[in-house]
Amino acid sequence: MEIEPREITIGELVEGYSDNGEDGVVGYSGQLDIRPPYQREFVYDAEQRNAVIHSVIEEYPLNVMYWAKQSDERYEVLDGQQRTISICQYVTGDFAIKDRDGNRKYFSSQPDNVQERIRRYKLTVYLCDGDHSEKLDWFKIVNIAGKRLTNQELLNAIYSGPWVSDAKPSFSRRKCRAQKISEAYVKANPIEQGLLETAIKWISDGNVDEYMARHQHDENADELWNYFSAVIEWIAATFPKKRDFMPKVDWGSLYAAHKDDDVDPDELEHEIAHLLSLKRPGREGAIQKLPGVYPYVLDGDERHLNLRSFTKGQKIAAYERQEGKCGHCGQPFEFRDMEGDHKTPWKDGGLTTDDNLQMLCRDCNRRKGAQ
């Protein structure tokens, strides 16, 4: 990893500054992507923004900024985006600050000597260059202050290019089309790239880094959108009734494993309703993990449900009732060598109640579970 320290004046930084909204923000004579199209929007509030400008005017040092080198004389802001935009917006007249006397001062209304002091102010910038893995490791190290970048934002910086830029309109704007079709099933912040990360995890089976490296220079992200929308369509068709805990389900894995299953949505809904009816006040044997009902009705694995277990007190009481003997083989065992067992299995309607509890030795319990 090559890291080159450089001093950049505010005058140099603001030269060529342009805010093109959703198409990005550039500066430094057009050589610096201050907010590339995939990055989060400006999030500093007025107090934070004004504090940056007052620090500059008073010639207090600002924190080091980091730029990632994209090509010869082309850079991208890694850390310091909010400070950079604050400075550029002030110098170009987007807002005013209050001076010591409480007067509002735009940059243009500052005395000439103050304007010149601001333009000459030197920012310390580290220019970072290296291969993808080196950049990612370094970016994680420097991402320690201010408005922290998410892991997906770091990957976006590493794999910037036409693919990421094309993905933004669909996944990285407020009220983007991905958010509109998925809000009942996915809770992720599109501005911080959570929705984009979710979509890539689904299509790549969790291998986000690998997928982005492979598609970095693709002209568009159509494949990602088509896959994401297919998952959402499958969810809506398979489980048409919406429930507030659906966003906690790993829909990507379920779609990959069961998208071709021949299922009856009405039968699935009937089974889900039955499972959820077991979780009523005073009713034992209720499932503990409600989102687990969706994978359970597709594959029957009870581990998805995190079923309620017998308490230690219940098991001690049963152990005493059985006089320390296994409920199956009748041999005596220490309490620590026995396990609580549902006489009538949960899948057959047995509840986690005292009258459905028996203590078995480990061997008997294993043999019963294997039947």
Side-chain angles (χ1 to χ4, degrees):
M1 184 75 179
E2 296 181 6
I3 302 170
E4 175 192 348
R6 185 180 295 183
E7 287 189 334
I8 307 293
T9 67
I10 285 179
E12 292 173 318
L13 176 67
V14 177
E15 184 69 28
Y17 172 75
S18 176
D19 185 344
N20 300 304
E22 293 175 347
D23 292 327
V25 182
V26 299
Y28 195 52
S29 298
Q31 297 173 254
L32 176 67
D33 279 342
I34 299 172
R35 180 176 62 76
Y38 54 80
Q39 280 277 19
R40 71 174 66 164
E41 298 175 1
F42 184 67
V43 294
Y44 263 10
D45 58 28
E47 183 177 353
Q48 292 171 304
R49 180 188 64 186
N50 294 345
V52 171
I53 305 307
H54 282 296
S55 295
V56 170
I57 292 175
E58 299 297 329
E59 297 183 302
Y60 298 148
L62 292 175
N63 289 340
V64 172
M65 299 182 185
Y66 296 88
W67 295 0
K69 190 172 183 179
Q70 299 300 318
S71 62
D72 291 341
E73 300 307 315
R74 294 285 304 179
Y75 311 97
E76 175 183 300
V77 173
L78 164 66
D79 185 64
Q81 178 198 137
Q82 306 298 317
R83 284 166 282 160
T84 300
I85 292 180
S86 296
I87 290 168
C88 291
Q89 285 181 341
Y90 182 67
V91 173
T92 55
D94 282 3
F95 66 94
I97 63 170
K98 289 184 178 181
D99 63 16
R100 293 175 178 175
D101 298 322
N103 300 315
R104 286 169 54 81
K105 292 284 190 179
Y106 285 92
F107 177 80
S108 60
S109 61
Q110 292 281 10
D112 290 345
N113 66 315
V114 175
Q115 290 188 32
E116 185 61 23
R117 185 190 311 161
I118 293 173
R119 290 187 179 279
R120 291 201 315 264
Y121 183 96
K122 292 181 178 179
L123 303 163
T124 300
V125 176
Y126 283 174
L127 307 180
C128 309
D129 190 20
D131 63 31
H132 289 157
S133 61
E134 288 176 327
K135 283 184 180 180
L136 183 57
D137 289 342
W138 180 253
F139 291 176
K140 287 180 178 178
I141 291 172
V142 303
N143 183 33
I144 58 176
K147 297 292 181 180
R148 294 175 60 88
L149 297 176
T150 65
N151 189 64
Q152 185 60 44
E153 287 175 312
L154 292 171
L155 290 175
N156 288 352
I158 294 294
Y159 299 115
S160 61
W163 184 89
V164 172
S165 296
D166 188 69
K168 181 192 174 184
S170 295
F171 295 97
S172 303
R173 298 177 185 169
R174 291 186 178 92
K175 302 301 181 182
C176 60
R177 60 174 179 164
Q179 187 176 36
K180 288 179 179 178
I181 68 171
S182 68
E183 56 188 354
Y185 316 113
V186 180
K187 287 293 181 288
N189 188 335
I191 300 303
E192 295 186 357
Q193 310 307 313
L195 199 52
L196 177 60
E197 181 179 38
T198 297
I200 302 174
K201 283 182 177 178
W202 285 1
I203 197 173
S204 68
D205 192 24
N207 298 311
V208 177
D209 195 317
E210 178 186 341
Y211 184 87
M212 294 186 70
R214 187 154 31 92
H215 294 277
Q216 179 179 6
H217 302 293
D218 288 2
E219 293 183 359
N220 60 65
D222 291 350
E223 178 187 66
L224 183 68
W225 169 255
N226 291 336
Y227 190 89
F228 182 83
S229 57
V231 177
I232 300 303
E233 289 172 5
W234 176 81
I235 300 170
T238 308
F239 304 106
K241 183 172 181 177
K242 296 180 176 64
R243 293 182 169 90
D244 59 7
F245 52 82
M246 293 180 88
K248 296 181 180 180
V249 178
D250 181 6
W251 294 114
S253 295
L254 285 190
Y255 176 77
H258 301 285
K259 63 181 184 296
D260 297 322
D261 291 2
D262 183 13
V263 298
D264 184 334
D266 291 335
E267 290 183 3
L268 293 179
E269 173 56 31
H270 178 76
E271 186 172 2
I272 289 171
H274 170 68
L275 291 169
L276 297 179
S277 73
L278 299 179
K279 191 172 179 62
R280 296 199 297 266
R283 182 75 175 268
E284 300 294 343
I287 59 177
Q288 302 290 293
K289 189 176 180 181
L290 297 183
V293 298
Y294 293 101
Y296 174 76
V297 297
L298 292 171
D299 64 22
D301 189 339
E302 293 179 1
R303 288 175 295 181
H304 295 306
L305 303 176
N306 190 20
L307 299 176
R308 174 173 175 164
S309 301
F310 292 109
T311 66
K312 186 174 181 179
Q314 285 179 301
K315 289 187 284 188
I316 289 174
Y319 179 81
E320 295 298 329
R321 288 196 302 271
Q322 296 173 203
E323 298 181 345
K325 297 177 182 179
C326 172
H328 188 265
C329 69
Q331 297 298 310
F333 290 90
E334 295 293 329
F335 175 78
R336 63 177 177 271
D337 296 322
M338 300 183 77
E339 298 172 343
D341 170 66
H342 288 80
K343 295 178 184 177
T344 301
W346 186 88
K347 63 182 180 181
D348 295 330
L351 302 179
T352 310
T353 54
D354 292 344
D355 59 359
N356 195 40
L357 167 63
Q358 63 179 344
M359 297 298 290
L360 301 181
C361 68
R362 291 173 182 170
D363 286 344
C364 286
N365 197 34
R366 298 296 185 274
R367 283 195 291 270
K368 179 184 178 183
Q371 294 176 355

